[in-house]
Amino acid sequence: MMKNTGKKVKVGRNDPCPCGSGLKYKKCCLRKGKKKQTESVKELYLKRYRIRLKEEEDIAAIRKAGKLVVDTLDLVAEMIRPGLVTEEINTLVHEYTIKNGAKPAPLHYRGYPKSVCVSVNDVICHGIPGQDIILEDGDIVNVDVTSILDGYYADANRTFFVGTPDAEARKIVHVARESLKRGIEMIRPGNTLGDIGWAIQTYAEGEGCSVVREFVGHGVGFDFHEAPQVAHYGKRGEGVVLVPGMVFTVEPMINLGVKELRILSDDWTAVTRDGSLSAQFEQTFLVTEDGVESLTPYDLDEPL
């Protein structure tokens, strides 16, 4: 996850196309265009927004890394149970990643000490697994996996129930998962980053929950965190216009109580300020010519 600076750039479907053709964006490079136009958009997005659009070979490599991430999460799902020590999750993720010729991106990233983030109950993100953290019946736990395979990064997470959840746990996990689904519906060429945030915020707050502001989605693929930042709140029509080749995560952090947080003394673990439950779901997405593809696909409709 990246910290949000809040800076937005407004570009609309009816604005002049960034390639300089003089046509409106929706009439020019938003459509399948000439290679020259495509290259112009790629250069402009890099220069103006620092967004590195991905080519087919890049996408194929990220998709491959994404499969490893999803396979790893599937293994984690099988081991979740009351009494599990979160360090065991770290061991599984680390060993499975290395076994498959990849590297765990979180390990030593800016000093992070483990190979995976494991966030329990009121932990919003960046929970550090350890021998002293034992899952209990009724807990919820988010596991966030990022793998580097052949130099390419893919990133995804899921929140799991531990044993039998109560009504509050069921609610926050449902709202967090549905928030991601609402965000996905906004991903297509011509829409904006603000559309994604607007859809998530409108839904989550309508359910009486709150959206974390300090941490956001991000570009990914060539590096762990790239441009753009993808806020999970915002206004329709604002922000960078989505174009084919953009790859980024959407990973709304949804709290049952207030949106405010605090960082623990380890300088990593973010928890809800009021102690309420927090849940999150994340996938890595590609903006395609006519919509969206998840490069880390897992079922968002399975019964909770």
Side-chain angles (χ1 to χ4, degrees):
M1 299 118 187
M2 296 178 68
K3 290 189 176 180
N4 179 27
T5 62
K7 187 175 181 181
K8 299 178 179 178
V9 180
K10 185 174 182 178
V11 184
R13 290 169 58 89
N14 291 312
D15 288 342
C17 186
C19 75
S21 67
L23 299 174
K24 290 182 178 180
Y25 178 69
K26 67 181 181 181
K27 296 291 187 180
C28 188
C29 290
L30 177 55
R31 296 180 172 179
K32 292 182 180 179
K34 298 177 182 179
K35 184 175 181 180
K36 180 178 179 181
Q37 294 174 330
T38 302
E39 289 299 320
S40 296
V41 171
K42 184 176 181 180
E43 292 168 5
L44 182 134
Y45 269 59
L46 179 60
K47 181 178 180 180
R48 181 175 294 180
Y49 309 119
R50 296 183 296 110
I51 295 173
R52 293 181 284 179
L53 301 182
K54 275 64 176 181
E55 303 287 354
E56 285 300 324
E57 58 268 28
D58 305 317
I59 295 164
I62 299 168
R63 191 182 288 116
K64 184 178 178 182
K67 183 180 186 306
L68 175 59
V69 167
V70 173
D71 289 347
T72 305
L73 285 170
D74 286 344
L75 289 176
V76 170
E78 295 174 2
M79 73 184 304
I80 298 295
R81 67 184 187 280
L84 181 71
V85 176
T86 59
E87 182 65 31
E88 296 178 62
I89 299 175
N90 183 74
T91 299
L92 180 145
V93 171
H94 182 87
E95 292 182 351
Y96 187 73
T97 303
I98 298 300
K99 176 183 175 182
N100 283 276
K103 297 178 182 178
L107 186 60
H108 306 313
Y109 178 77
R110 298 182 179 177
Y112 187 78
K114 299 291 182 175
S115 296
V116 64
C117 295
V118 182
S119 303
V120 183
N121 292 337
D122 65 334
V123 179
I124 296 169
C125 62
H126 302 162
I128 301 174
Q131 293 287 356
D132 58 340
I133 305 173
I134 304 172
L135 299 182
E136 299 181 0
D137 185 65
D139 285 346
I140 60 174
V141 57
N142 178 270
V143 179
D144 193 341
V145 175
T146 308
S147 298
I148 314 168
L149 183 62
D150 299 326
Y152 287 88
Y153 294 68
D155 189 4
N157 70 51
R158 293 168 57 185
T159 298
F160 303 98
F161 292 130
V162 182
T164 304
D166 63 16
E168 288 193 340
R170 285 191 177 278
K171 176 178 178 178
I172 192 59
V173 172
H174 169 76
V175 172
R177 189 173 73 167
E178 184 65 25
S179 292
L180 177 57
K181 291 168 66 176
R182 299 296 178 101
I184 296 170
E185 292 173 357
M186 296 293 107
I187 304 176
R188 58 181 177 270
N191 274 7
T192 68
L193 290 176
D195 293 334
I196 299 171
W198 169 84
I200 292 169
Q201 181 184 7
T202 300
Y203 168 73
E205 292 181 353
E207 294 295 315
C209 298
S210 62
V211 180
V212 172
R213 275 22 178 206
E214 287 84 352
F215 298 98
V216 297
H218 52 88
V220 68
F222 297 139
D223 207 344
F224 199 164
H225 296 108
E226 305 175 20
Q229 293 193 7
V230 183
H232 304 114
Y233 61 93
K235 296 181 179 180
R236 275 192 109 158
E238 291 194 351
V240 176
V241 173
L242 306 183
V243 295
M246 290 178 69
V247 175
F248 53 78
T249 70
V250 181
E251 47 183 296
M253 286 145 274
I254 309 298
N255 297 346
L256 194 60
V258 301
K259 64 180 181 297
E260 287 77 19
L261 59 79
R262 60 189 180 92
I263 306 296
L264 299 187
S265 59
D266 59 24
D267 293 328
W268 280 102
T269 307
V271 301
T272 57
R273 185 169 292 278
D274 61 2
S276 63
L277 295 175
S278 184
Q280 181 187 22
F281 288 84
E282 172 191 23
Q283 293 188 20
T284 295
F285 297 101
L286 164 70
V287 181
T288 65
E289 293 287 348
D290 55 5
V292 59
E293 176 191 347
S294 176
L295 300 179
T296 54
Y298 58 79
D299 189 0
L300 288 168
D301 293 309
E302 65 181 356
L304 289 172

